[in-house]
Amino acid sequence: QVQLVESGGGLVQPGGSLRLSCAASGSIRNIDHMAWYRQAPGKQRELVAAITSGGSTNYAASVKGRFTVSRDNAKNTVYLQMNSLKPEDTAVYYCKLRQILERGRVYDYWGQGTQVTVSS
């Protein structure tokens, strides 16, 4: 089917930057959108940023102006550029691909997650 592999996480100081990558492989077809989520310990998983097949983007209020989601269709890869990082950004970041199925149904594929730690 579809496999997603995230990379680029790590330890960064407050105010620093990281770029996450999500490479998709397999039977990639009928993609509605791809998105980045994050989950901190003891908290619910939350949407960080999304990019649709048409190229429209959406961001959580907490990251708007600091994060940028983009894609490289030739490489089947989505990126999350994270600037001006704050300790509250510390979380496991997950990539999600939403595939459109028949009869209006959808299926979500998830990556394994990559750890982002913002600390001095």
Side-chain angles (χ1 to χ4, degrees), residues 12-18 66 82-87 89 118-119:
V12 64
Q13 294 184 341
S17 298
L18 284 174
R66 300 188 296 121
M82 305 185 295
N83 299 326
S84 302
L85 283 162
K86 306 174 181 179
D89 295 318
V118 184
S119 176

Side-chain angles (χ1 to χ4, degrees), residues 26-102:
S27 300
I28 305 172
R29 60 189 184 278
N30 300 325
I31 299 173
D32 181 68
H33 71 267
M34 297 187 70
W36 289 95
Y37 289 74
R38 66 186 181 187
Q39 187 168 24
K43 296 184 178 180
Q44 295 292 314
R45 187 172 299 185
E46 64 175 346
L47 176 67
V48 177
I51 183 166
T52 70
S53 297
S56 298
T57 58
N58 295 285
Y59 299 93
S62 59
V63 307
K64 194 174 183 66
R66 300 188 296 121
F67 291 10
T68 303
V69 62
S70 62
R71 67 186 183 190
D72 185 334
N73 291 333
K75 297 181 179 180
N76 292 318
T77 300
V78 173
Y79 305 95
L80 184 67
Q81 178 66 47
M82 305 185 295
N83 299 326
S84 302
L85 283 162
K86 306 174 181 179
E88 65 189 44
D89 295 318
T90 296
V92 177
Y93 284 71
Y94 298 90
C95 177
K96 184 196 76 176
L97 182 154
R98 174 160 288 184
Q99 185 179 56
I100 301 175
L101 306 178
E102 75 281 353

